[in-house]
Amino acid sequence: MRTSPEVLGRTLAAAPDPDLARLALSRVGEDRAAREALEDHLPAAAALLGFSTAAADFLSRHPGETADVLRADPRTRTQLLAEAEGTVARLGPEAGLRRFRRRALWRLATRDLLGAEVDEVVAEMTGIAEACLEVAAAAVRAPLAIIGMGKLGGAELNYASDVDVIFVHGDDPERGAAAARRLLALLSAPTADGVALRVDTDLRPEGRAGPLTRSAPATLEYYRRHAATWERQALLKARSVAGERGLGERLLEDLASVIYPERIDPGAIDDVRGMKVRIEEYVRARGKESTEVKRGRGGIRDVEFAVQLLQMVHGRRDPALRTANTLAALAALGSEGYVAVADAVALADS
């Protein structure tokens, strides 16, 4: 390498695992172009390759991606969509979606390891998933609105997140259902390159027992007449993310009266609290109350349930609280006086 031994030694010493970084640099650097990229971006390379053997595996198989990954520049949703479309045009839908997502995630992970803010990271991770969904929908010619739920809807995906979606079809239910199945296969079927996205459709009306897609009127009717409290609570995170976005946005406008009713049933509050207790008991029974970040004591769910309960109570009167993003909702709750600003900041930091 052109880099002096002294500089190389100091850089590797700062890596998460210096020995892993040294071995990975040697392995990826067997390709000349990749070696030049490693030297041009040595601190980024040491951070990423000293953290993940999977990153080294990817760059060893695809050395031409090294410079792009290590530049670690932020990308907007528009840029990510264009990148995904270009990669699919070059490699085909199956290989292209998988290559795009891995490249984009390793690029983001590099920026994360170099100190990017968490809200920037989860927002871009969400943009990567949305680009995959949009390009996949176009590839299979899916006449569907794709509604993002959970962390996808809230634009707060993390590295381990599944992508929760609800499909809404137009006038042709058979065509819509067939397109949804093709889309799921394209994204989720395991190949030699893995999957593009792990897509979960279980949050749809009736869950696994219900049809894979519904029309907008049928979806609206279900939520108005049959939905349980937890299903209406889940709609707080709903957002039209891909496909026939206009169809999805119109449906969510119609669902506003379900999500934020004029009168909230006192039993709904008890339902939300009861669900939280059941989650806590389940985690406690598994012996993970103090260790599970998502559902354990003081975990992500504690913050989400507190925020969503306040949104359900006050969002019907205050449109400022009607956001799918937890951190944005916390900020609004603080600025609008529903919680103390210090408490909102503490919960956001947690």
Side-chain angles (χ1 to χ4, degrees), residues 226-234 267-272 275 312:
H226 306 294
T229 299
W230 73 264
E231 291 178 293
R232 293 194 295 271
Q233 180 184 351
I269 304 301
D270 293 336
D271 287 346
V272 173
M275 184 189 302
M312 291 174 70

Side-chain angles (χ1 to χ4, degrees), residues 286-307:
R286 298 177 67 205
K288 295 188 175 183
E289 180 184 14
S290 62
T291 58
E292 188 179 311
V293 172
K294 182 177 180 180
R295 296 175 296 183
R297 182 179 178 86
I300 294 170
R301 278 284 187 266
D302 276 354
V303 179
E304 289 181 333
F305 265 73
V307 169

Side-chain angles (χ1 to χ4, degrees), residues 84-102 131-141 182-183 185-189 191 193-197:
E85 290 171 338
T87 308
V88 165
R90 181 164 53 90
L91 300 178
E94 184 178 276
L97 284 165
R98 286 154 178 77
R99 177 77 66 86
F100 158 73
R101 184 165 185 266
R102 280 159 179 74
C132 288
L133 287 166
E134 194 74 81
V135 172
V140 302
R141 296 180 173 85
R182 293 197 303 272
L183 186 145
L186 175 58
L187 290 171
S188 300
T191 70
D193 294 319
V195 303
L197 286 177

Side-chain angles (χ1 to χ4, degrees), residues 210-288:
L212 184 57
T213 73
R214 267 181 163 85
S215 68
T219 302
L220 183 61
E221 177 72 4
Y222 175 85
Y223 282 111
R224 281 179 172 169
R225 295 173 61 92
H226 306 294
T229 299
W230 73 264
E231 291 178 293
R232 293 194 295 271
Q233 180 184 351
L235 286 176
L236 289 164
K237 311 287 285 184
R239 184 169 59 90
S240 183
V241 298
E244 301 289 338
R245 287 178 182 259
L247 175 61
E249 289 164 1
R250 289 191 295 275
L251 172 62
L252 293 179
E253 288 175 4
D254 291 338
L255 281 170
S257 62
V258 175
I259 306 170
Y260 304 103
E262 280 297 313
R263 178 185 175 276
I264 187 166
D265 184 346
I269 304 301
D270 293 336
D271 287 346
V272 173
R273 289 172 173 160
M275 184 189 302
K276 184 66 172 66
V277 169
R278 290 192 294 275
I279 291 172
E280 290 172 349
E281 291 175 346
Y282 172 75
V283 174
R284 190 180 302 116
R286 298 177 67 205
K288 295 188 175 183

